[in-house]
Amino acid sequence: MEMILLFLYILVFPCIPGDARFYGSAFTTRGNKHFELYPSGHIIYRENSAVTGLTATKCNLFSGKWVHDVSYPLYNAAGCPYIGTQTKCRPNGRPDSDYEKWKWQPDGCTIPRFNSNDMLEKLRGKRLMFVGDSISRGQFESMVCLIQAGIPSNKKVMADKMPLATFKALDYNASVELFWAPFLVELETNKKGKTILHLDSIANNGKYWKEADILVFESSHWWDHTGGSSGKTWDIAMEGNKTYSSMDHMVAYKKALSTWANWANSHIDFKKSMVFFRTMAPRHTSCENEREPVQHTSAYNPPLPPQVPILKQVVSSTKLPVVLMDITRMSQLRKDAHPSKYNSPHPSGNGDCSHWCLSGVPDIWNELLYSLVGKGRH
């Protein structure tokens, strides 16, 4: 049976029929209504005094289909000054726009449309922090674009200085932040110019994270990057006093995730902070001239990146109250949503099938996050 990992103060999803309140356990009863939440975003609602086997609604937020909706996108990318040139596809010359007009329809339920005013209220007095790599930056930029349009220019501030970028909504005393940590654990360059990945060291990064109210972690892409003089993302891996000039990257990945889990268990106050971990956003081998999502999903079964099962194993085995945002499969269906050659103000033949156009798919990840953070007024 799948391990039940409920965040202690997460709100029961708006897709569930009946009352929605904050609950403090993995299984809760309200009258004769029973709710269970699983780390994959899987909800089971039961209505009867006997819980076993009486499933009225079964909803997995991350299993479903893409539905064309002309009311999307949720913002105008050209009007959002916070998007990097790499992912601003239409201003970069992409001629089509249908990739912006797809919403996610989960199986067995619906999610609320993103409401920027409501999200700002949820963030009042709080810090929302994304932690990860350039894909996390895309999700960060998406969230800022989603909430910033209605804020007067003198009431919002962006400070972007590595490793921390911070957008502040001053009237709400709220911030949306990005902490750049593609490995989560620490990477340094020594005096000889060698990059050292410290698989058991995270404290210098973690000091930025532990006071955030909502944390969205992600680490995947850099673990199988190649580059640098050695053809690797790092030259030396260290664990304690041991050094490794060669280590299988997925072995290293699991060690780093275990370091993160141990740190989270010791340093995050789960009564205060909501913690999410997003699975890997997939790369596609080709994406140029793709114009719509994969439609025949039953015949499209690409393998999962190896990072995904490793992440699920580590999160489930630690028993941490972390909600897994399992966006990999839903994003695999969106070959059409990458920058491709429209990844700079001067389009080239070099196709980018890893990052995501904004507006686009990261907005939907944030719409799911919005539904997970709390019930929208809609």
Side-chain angles (χ1 to χ4, degrees):
M1 179 179 179
E2 187 177 14
M3 182 75 70
I4 299 176
L5 296 172
L6 172 66
F7 182 79
L8 293 175
Y9 282 87
I10 197 165
L11 186 66
V12 174
F13 297 52
C15 63
I16 299 174
D19 225 354
R21 296 287 187 271
F22 280 97
Y23 296 104
S25 63
F27 171 77
T28 187
T29 301
R30 184 173 178 82
N32 66 341
K33 299 174 184 178
H34 309 270
F35 303 93
E36 297 173 58
L37 170 63
Y38 290 77
S40 63
H42 198 135
I43 289 292
I44 293 181
Y45 162 80
R46 311 176 192 271
E47 187 166 357
N48 196 285
S49 58
V51 175
T52 304
L54 297 176
T55 302
T57 299
K58 186 176 182 180
C59 172
N60 184 339
L61 292 183
F62 306 106
S63 176
K65 61 183 178 182
W66 292 95
V67 177
H68 195 262
D69 189 328
V70 296
S71 70
Y72 281 66
L74 297 165
Y75 60 87
N76 178 9
C80 183
Y82 306 110
I83 303 175
T85 58
Q86 185 176 24
T87 55
K88 216 168 187 176
C89 298
R90 290 195 69 194
N92 287 348
R94 180 164 175 167
D96 62 305
S97 61
D98 255 14
Y99 69 92
E100 300 177 321
K101 301 182 185 300
W102 296 88
K103 70 177 181 181
W104 180 246
Q105 176 59 62
D107 294 331
C109 65
T110 60
I111 57 174
R113 186 181 176 91
F114 192 97
N115 183 308
S116 58
N117 291 331
D118 190 51
M119 188 63 180
L120 282 165
E121 286 297 337
K122 297 179 197 306
L123 294 178
R124 186 179 289 275
K126 294 182 171 62
R127 296 171 60 203
L128 163 60
M129 179 179 284
F130 297 93
V131 179
D133 55 22
S134 59
I135 310 300
S136 289
R137 172 170 281 277
Q139 190 174 3
F140 160 75
E141 292 174 353
S142 162
M143 181 61 78
V144 172
C145 290
L146 284 164
I147 65 173
Q148 66 86 33
I151 304 174
S153 58
N154 64 338
K155 297 295 185 179
K156 54 190 174 186
V157 177
M158 173 70 89
D160 192 348
K161 186 177 181 179
M162 291 284 283
L164 185 66
T166 303
F167 173 85
K168 292 185 178 181
L170 301 180
D171 280 347
Y172 294 86
N173 187 29
S175 66
V176 179
E177 305 173 31
L178 169 75
F179 187 86
W180 178 263
F183 295 108
L184 300 183
V185 294
E186 288 152 18
L187 185 73
E188 68 167 353
T189 302
N190 65 14
K191 294 179 179 179
K192 297 180 179 180
K194 298 290 186 180
T195 54
I196 302 173
L197 185 66
H198 294 274
L199 295 172
D200 58 354
S201 180
I202 205 168
N204 288 334
N205 290 342
K207 66 185 179 183
Y208 291 90
W209 312 337
K210 60 184 180 180
E211 297 302 322
D213 300 278
I214 305 169
L215 283 155
V216 183
F217 291 97
E218 185 272 336
S219 180
S220 52
H221 281 262
W222 279 49
W223 291 96
D224 54 16
H225 275 191
T226 58
S229 59
S230 65
K232 300 183 297 184
T233 310
W234 65 85
D235 296 306
I236 301 167
M238 288 193 67
E239 189 177 22
N241 294 322
K242 295 181 179 179
T243 61
Y244 303 88
S245 58
S246 179
M247 177 184 286
D248 181 274
H249 281 204
M250 292 302 102
V251 172
Y253 179 61
K254 187 173 183 179
K255 289 178 180 290
L257 287 180
S258 297
T259 297
W260 168 84
N262 291 334
W263 174 89
N265 189 50
S266 300
H267 293 89
I268 292 180
D269 182 354
F270 286 96
K271 294 180 180 180
K272 173 183 179 292
S273 300
M274 302 179 70
V275 181
F276 302 87
F277 211 118
R278 178 173 60 73
T279 61
M280 183 174 183
R283 303 182 183 96
H284 290 99
T285 55
S286 63
C287 58
E288 189 173 356
N289 299 321
E290 296 286 348
R291 293 293 179 263
E292 63 179 25
V294 174
Q295 299 294 323
H296 303 291
T297 58
S298 61
Y300 182 70
N301 291 297
L304 283 176
Q307 291 91 324
V308 175
I310 293 171
L311 172 62
K312 290 182 177 181
Q313 180 187 1
V314 170
V315 170
S316 63
S317 65
T318 59
K319 299 182 175 62
L320 288 176
V322 173
V323 175
L324 200 67
M325 293 191 67
D326 191 1
I327 59 85
T328 305
R329 173 61 177 166
M330 61 181 285
S331 303
Q332 282 178 326
L333 303 176
R334 294 303 308 274
K335 293 181 180 182
D336 60 310
H338 295 291
S340 183
K341 66 181 181 180
Y342 303 106
N343 59 354
S344 77
H346 307 288
S348 69
N350 298 321
D352 179 352
C353 300
S354 295
H355 297 91
W356 302 87
C357 292
L358 293 177
S359 51
V361 168
D363 306 329
I364 307 304
W365 302 341
N366 282 328
E367 204 163 43
L368 288 164
L369 181 64
Y370 168 67
S371 73
L372 286 158
V373 168
K375 184 177 182 181
R377 293 189 291 270
H378 60 291

